[in-house]
Amino acid sequence: MKIGVIFLALALAAIPAAGQTPVYLDSSADIEDRIDDVMKRMTLEEKIAMIHAQSKFSSPGVKRLGIPEIWTTDGPHGIRPEVFWDEWNQAGWTNDSCVAFPALTCLAATWNEEMSLLYGKSIGEEARYRKKDMLLGPGVNIYRTPLNGRNFEYMGEDPYLAATMVVPYVKGVQSNGVAACVKHYALNNNEINRHTSNVIVDDRALYEIYLPAFKAAVIDGGAWSIMGSYNLYRDQHGCHNQYLLNDILKGEWGFDGVVVSDWGGTHDTDEAITNGLDMEFGTHTDGLSKGNKNEYDNYHLASPYLAKIKAGETGTDELDDKVRRVLRLAFRTVMDKDRPFGSMVSEAHYEAARKIGDEGIVLLKNDGDILPIKAGNGCKILAVGENAIKMMTVGGGSSSLKVQHEISPLEGLEAAFEGIAEVKYVRGYVGDVTGEYNGVTTGQSLADNRSEEELIAEAVDAARDADYVIFFGGLNKSHHQDCENFDRKELGLPYGQDKVIEALAAVNGNLIVVNISGNAVAMPWIDKVPAVVQAWFLGSEAGNSIADILSGSVNPSGKLPFTFPVALEDSPAHSIGDYPGTKREDMNIWDIEYKEGIFVGYRWFENKKIKPLFAFGHGLSYTDFSYGKATADSRTVSDGGTVKISVDVTNTGERAGKEVVQLYISDLKSALPRPEKELKGFRKIELAPGETSTVTFTVDMEDLSYFDPEKHEWIAEPGKFKALIGSASDDIRTEVNFELK
Ligand code: BGC
């Protein structure tokens, strides 16, 4: 009797009195208490519904309880146009055109955390205004091969650079009450066979190279969601992978957010239940329009899961954990009453896009200070090449956008030199004249039926009497260029561009090549061309940013986030490494072994003494910087301590400029092989002519450590270290030794 009374009292306590706000709707209550409260109220079916999609990009929430739908969007360079409920195709809205920000390779090339915060905050505002709760980005897969079609969506080859740059982006996005969904976790380093590559990589490379950016996004950035990758690792797909998701992400790093499947990345119900996936998206589509049943019910984490629970084949512990995570996401985003409202296509966003572009463009070569352009009376500038006029925001896969405007390089030049110089344009080559992605069209008509010979002859003719010839080429967003789902087929430039460049170089010594790409390209003509600019995919303000650099209204300060090899065979994945792997005899799985281990990017080139075309961290300025002598505040550091390394940097040129001061650490003797040196610090500083600034880096144990795969821990080994400071990985200006006791 007494027990019955207690039960009744407890039951009554759980039901709010009429007019009383339930705990889960009380925004002043602790999120975990709110989650506990909803969990008690939800039915099994409602829980199942919450963990898979209801449309191409949304999940349903719980209508009965007033828990809203969760809406996701690509990402990572702008907000994707609205698509039909159940299709990839754009829905044809007329109010969903966005600002395209520069691609993430460009952001990485700024080497400026402030730019990353600005980027995250701005794109988060666009997402928020468009009522999105999760942005599918940023991407931080490491640049392993220059052939990867999706490198432009990532932050380069170095784990320290990517880890440092991803954190402010995540924080900026999430300051809007929009979750960043960091992708593609993990080891998604090629697009060819992206659903069937099984990566074989040693633990040391996994922990030292491929995971740090994800770890930083989770631990330092506090990311609220992570997207699993398409590929396999240890024979399990990334979206339901025991080692990556349960052991490392949720175990070692304590991730409390949501693991979202990549669209169509879920393959197995049992693994999806047990191996760390929380929300399933994109598995099948077109059910609502073509089938007689809601296709989303057939998702692995839908009816099949429910049936297993009902049959007693599996319990509900995993389900409850998934639902708690989705609820946590809802409370952090769509149910956060205090989140800002966001803004879209604002002047501030265009300014941000231009600023990031300005800081990310890399001046690769500038012999005879041919740049900036010295325009004046009667100066004639000739622009050549398809990339001077081609819109680059449409295409490339899921990052494709519908923009309010995109300034082409030619338009940027014309605006910058209006009234100062005459700007003429000739085509030079014909690349990809199509311009459509999922129903969004560029509206450009680029067709040109002239032969290669005719186009080159026209360009050469026009180049003869120009003061400057600027060739705009590189890659584009079409298949086998910089594009999702395809890798490139070669390092060389497509569409016969090398021939055009050679022909122009033969008639005009003032040739500037502007390479627009998210990847390294071969430059067999490099000795014949005095100036080369790496201009990335720069989004809405592309032409303005490029003109800012060419005209000199902005002093270039970008640095390469990855190495440019001379030849493909020089890069590790195509030399010792394995690419695209070996197909198993009996099944459609490609085992791809990362035989180069930790020697990715500059770590490989330096170790093998291979001279790259342009080194990691390289980038010139229109001014010069001199470096003083590096000093250490102590020559010995004890275990657990830190050492401060300082250097004076002076602008010795005649104009203001920004320099990225780079700190590399070299372990002089260690039990395991280590790279010659590794990036462990960088700082972007701005200096007026003649100005000097002291830059100080604090080096801690983490910076000295390597991952010991036997012990499964990070080890800082006592012994001698060298701190190297410079302007690029191949331009070290000063060094100082210290010892770990
Ligand atoms: C891509 C993801 C993207 C998703 C949704 C997938 O094909 O790999 O990066 O976020 O589609 O568009």
Side-chain angles (χ1 to χ4, degrees), residues 57 74 80 88 136 150 183-184 194 227 230 262-263 398 484:
F57 282 103
D74 286 299
R80 187 176 180 142
W88 289 113
L136 304 174
R150 272 188 111 170
K183 65 195 190 183
H184 306 88
R194 65 177 176 164
M227 186 187 291
Y230 280 142
D262 197 348
W263 270 234
S398 56
E484 180 175 342

Side-chain angles (χ1 to χ4, degrees), residues 2 61 85 107 201 203 234 270 323 339 353 390 468 475 498 563 637 689 694 715:
K2 250 192 189 161
W85 185 260
L107 176 62
V201 61
D203 266 8
R234 297 207 204 177
D270 291 324
V323 175
R339 62 178 179 159
K390 186 173 170 64
Y468 292 93
L475 307 179
D498 290 341
T563 309
V637 48
T694 305
I715 307 270

Side-chain angles (χ1 to χ4, degrees), residues 133-381:
D133 311 302
M134 182 188 289
L135 177 76
L136 304 174
V140 286
N141 294 93
I142 288 293
Y143 188 114
R144 175 176 181 256
T145 156
L147 298 192
N148 180 12
R150 272 188 111 170
N151 278 337
F152 71 101
E153 288 186 66
Y154 303 141
M155 298 204 197
E157 72 185 23
D158 182 72
Y160 183 88
L161 177 64
T164 308
M165 293 299 285
V166 72
V167 170
Y169 183 115
V170 168
K171 287 186 175 165
V173 170
Q174 295 190 168
S175 65
N176 291 287
V178 173
C181 184
V182 186
K183 65 195 190 183
H184 306 88
Y185 184 75
L187 300 166
N188 185 179
N189 307 103
N190 45 271
E191 286 298 292
I192 187 171
N193 309 323
R194 65 177 176 164
H195 294 275
T196 51
S197 287
N198 178 52
V199 174
I200 301 167
V201 61
D202 60 68
D203 266 8
R204 190 164 170 217
L206 180 68
Y207 277 81
E208 287 189 24
I209 305 291
Y210 295 100
L211 295 185
F214 290 101
K215 183 180 178 188
V218 167
I219 293 181
D220 304 328
W224 293 332
S225 56
I226 290 276
M227 186 187 291
S229 60
Y230 280 142
N231 55 282
L232 300 97
Y233 165 64
R234 297 207 204 177
D235 280 355
Q236 286 178 0
H237 284 94
C239 295
H240 30 80
N241 191 294
Q242 171 63 28
Y243 317 97
L244 294 172
L245 298 175
N246 283 342
D247 296 350
I248 300 176
L249 177 70
K250 293 181 176 178
E252 293 176 19
W253 304 344
F255 176 66
D256 70 356
V258 170
V259 172
V260 170
S261 74
D262 197 348
W263 270 234
T266 314
H267 301 274
D268 182 282
T269 303
D270 291 324
E271 285 188 8
I273 295 170
T274 57
N275 291 357
L277 178 65
D278 299 311
M279 286 178 109
E280 180 182 0
F281 281 93
T283 305
H284 322 102
T285 52
D286 296 330
L288 288 178
S289 52
K290 292 187 186 151
N292 52 12
K293 190 176 180 306
N294 182 356
E295 184 62 14
Y296 298 94
D297 289 343
N298 297 329
Y299 275 32
H300 296 277
L301 292 185
S303 303
Y305 191 7
L306 187 63
K308 277 180 186 279
I309 293 174
K310 286 196 168 158
E313 288 168 28
T314 184
T316 53
D317 287 357
E318 291 94 352
L319 175 65
D320 284 347
D321 180 59
K322 294 178 204 299
V323 175
R324 296 185 80 89
R325 287 169 184 274
V326 179
L327 288 169
R328 198 172 289 123
L329 173 74
F331 287 125
R332 284 167 165 170
T333 58
V334 69
M335 293 187 80
D336 172 5
K337 283 198 205 145
D338 297 327
R339 62 178 179 159
F341 296 112
S343 53
M344 228 182 112
V345 289
S346 62
E347 276 161 33
H349 292 174
Y350 284 114
E351 266 169 37
R354 183 166 180 172
K355 207 165 161 187
I356 295 160
D358 284 353
E359 280 217 14
I361 292 174
V362 184
L363 179 60
L364 292 175
K365 180 174 178 185
N366 194 20
D367 282 3
D369 290 336
I370 166 173
L371 282 173
I373 289 171
K374 288 112 203 137
N377 284 344
C379 175
K380 290 185 195 152
I381 299 173

Side-chain angles (χ1 to χ4, degrees), residues 366-413:
N366 194 20
D367 282 3
D369 290 336
I370 166 173
L371 282 173
I373 289 171
K374 288 112 203 137
N377 284 344
C379 175
K380 290 185 195 152
I381 299 173
L382 176 72
V384 185
E386 184 170 286
N387 282 358
I389 55 171
K390 186 173 170 64
M391 269 183 83
M392 292 292 186
T393 51
V394 176
S398 56
S399 62
S400 181
L401 297 170
K402 179 162 99 187
V403 291
Q404 192 194 39
H405 77 236
E406 176 177 341
I407 312 281
S408 72
L410 181 61
E411 287 164 345
L413 272 188

Side-chain angles (χ1 to χ4, degrees), residues 430-561:
V430 176
D432 177 15
V433 298
T434 61
E436 190 272 341
Y437 190 81
N438 284 159
V440 177
T441 49
T442 61
Q444 289 189 300
S445 144
L446 296 178
D448 193 324
N449 294 326
R450 286 175 292 169
S451 69
E452 190 179 87
E453 291 69 33
E454 286 171 298
L455 291 164
I456 292 181
E458 180 196 44
V460 165
D461 236 22
R464 277 186 224 279
D465 76 340
D467 295 297
Y468 292 93
V469 179
I470 311 176
F471 177 82
F472 290 94
L475 307 179
N476 54 38
K477 299 284 189 68
S478 59
H479 298 177
H480 298 294
Q481 302 295 320
D482 279 317
C483 183
E484 180 175 342
N485 208 8
F486 304 90
D487 276 356
R488 297 166 67 198
K489 292 182 166 162
E490 60 198 353
L491 186 66
L493 287 172
Y495 318 124
Q497 293 176 68
D498 290 341
K499 267 197 208 165
V500 189
I501 296 170
E502 299 265 3
L504 293 172
V507 295
N508 195 312
N510 281 351
L511 175 61
I512 299 150
V513 170
V514 178
N515 182 58
I516 294 174
S517 72
N519 254 318
V521 303
M523 300 184 182
W525 32 260
I526 189 71
D527 293 335
K528 300 173 194 157
V529 175
V532 183
V533 174
Q534 176 59 32
W536 317 115
F537 298 109
L538 296 172
S540 288
E541 290 290 297
N544 285 336
S545 286
I546 291 171
D548 285 343
I549 297 298
L550 297 179
S551 68
S553 69
V554 170
N555 193 349
S557 65
K559 301 276 185 176
L560 287 180

